[in-house]
Amino acid sequence: MMSVKDKVIVITGASSGIGEASAKLLAKNGAKLVLGARREERLKEIVDQIIAAGGQATYQSTDVTQPGQVKALVQLAKDRFGGIDVIFNNAGIMPSSPISALHIDEWNAMIDINLKGVLNGVAAVMPDFTSQKHGQIITTSSVAGIKSFPGAGVYGATKFAVRNLMEVIRMESAQEGTNIRTATLYPAAINTELLHTITDQNTRAGMDSLYNSVGIGPDAVARVVNFAVDQPEDVNVNEFIIYPTKQG
């Protein structure tokens, strides 16, 4: 039996891309999905599609920079499906630019969403995961959380931070005996709406050209998420780098 079945999974950044693809695949395999993002109309559409296909899902408009809203999303999972097994911290933005361009507002937005948003997700599930002594935290970092790329100084800084955070959660949970599993995803050129957040024209042109030539769909990452959730409780598959085969 697949251990994805009947798991209650909260996904942030669920209105498109990796979040949407993961929600649909997990629901197809019998998980109960609770979807959060800022675009409520997109969430409703995705949930309607999941239910029409015979799956179970609900949604709530969620801004991950607001701790109370992330808590409310987790509470919805408990109210609607009776518990929480997995949170997938997937919300993120990538307005890449050279540091010298000083897009300081964009730096702050990346820190608020890509790093604090993940921390808000962790905080929202930690009391339940600790008391029930099981749970899984999956987070989208980036290949820019492993390697340094010009143009991605602050974006990469948030993604390196997430990498460290997730590994420390894994180690501390092992020490504390709470059995919390972590999985960190490092996607490379995956075709999603992420590029739409880039305002710096030169950076955008370079990224568009790369993604147009080698990019692959978000289903590639969804399958990895499904694989991680599907492992037995005593197995923690904790880091995944997902490259298009064509990307050098």
Side-chain angles (χ1 to χ4, degrees):
M1 181 175 119
M2 295 192 68
S3 58
V4 168
K5 193 170 164 29
D6 293 328
K7 282 202 169 150
V8 180
I9 303 174
V10 168
I11 301 180
T12 66
S15 59
S16 66
I18 290 169
E20 176 185 0
S22 299
K24 288 178 173 171
L25 180 59
L26 290 161
K28 187 177 153 197
N29 290 332
K32 298 165 183 174
L33 275 299
V34 180
L35 307 185
R38 288 177 294 192
R39 292 178 294 177
E40 193 163 352
E41 70 292 343
R42 279 292 297 139
L43 292 176
K44 183 184 183 317
E45 218 174 284
I46 293 161
V47 165
D48 287 347
Q49 288 167 3
I50 287 172
I51 290 167
Q56 298 183 71
T58 187
Y59 69 90
Q60 191 159 291
S61 173
T62 307
D63 178 346
V64 296
T65 67
Q66 305 299 313
Q69 292 189 27
V70 184
K71 256 190 175 151
L73 190 66
V74 170
Q75 190 59 50
L76 174 63
K78 298 194 295 192
D79 294 344
R80 177 71 188 273
F81 295 124
I84 168 89
D85 298 300
V86 181
I87 187 166
F88 179 17
N89 296 304
N90 173 63
I93 58 169
M94 187 179 70
S96 299
S97 62
I99 299 296
S100 59
L102 296 182
H103 291 303
I104 294 170
D105 288 348
E106 291 180 349
W107 299 354
N108 287 323
M110 283 188 276
I111 291 164
D112 287 344
I113 295 170
N114 299 357
L115 178 53
K116 289 184 185 172
V118 170
L119 286 166
N120 290 337
V122 169
V125 295
M126 192 58 82
D128 289 298
F129 284 4
T130 301
S131 65
Q132 69 198 23
K133 289 195 163 34
H134 76 84
Q136 187 172 30
I137 301 170
I138 302 173
T139 300
T140 304
S141 175
S142 165
V143 74
I146 288 180
K147 301 178 179 184
S148 300
F149 295 95
V154 178
Y155 177 73
T158 63
K159 297 302 189 174
F160 265 87
V162 159
R163 178 187 183 192
N164 178 73
L165 171 69
M166 293 289 285
E167 178 64 0
V168 171
I169 291 170
R170 185 192 71 77
M171 295 167 81
E172 286 180 350
S173 171
Q175 289 172 358
E176 292 162 10
T178 50
N179 311 309
I180 298 169
R181 300 188 296 163
T182 63
T184 311
L185 310 173
Y186 305 101
I190 308 295
N191 292 321
T192 70
E193 293 182 5
L194 206 57
L195 296 192
H196 301 182
T197 64
I198 302 175
T199 63
D200 189 85
Q201 291 314 305
N202 290 340
T203 306
R204 175 71 191 260
M207 294 295 263
D208 278 343
S209 144
L210 169 71
Y211 280 62
N212 287 337
S213 60
V214 304
I216 53 175
D219 292 0
V221 183
R223 289 190 297 271
V224 173
V225 172
N226 189 83
F227 174 80
V229 173
D230 197 37
Q231 297 308 301
E233 285 298 319
D234 61 350
V235 177
N236 186 6
V237 285
N238 71 316
E239 291 197 289
F240 298 95
I241 306 175
I242 305 115
Y243 272 106
T245 305
K246 287 180 177 175
Q247 185 175 355

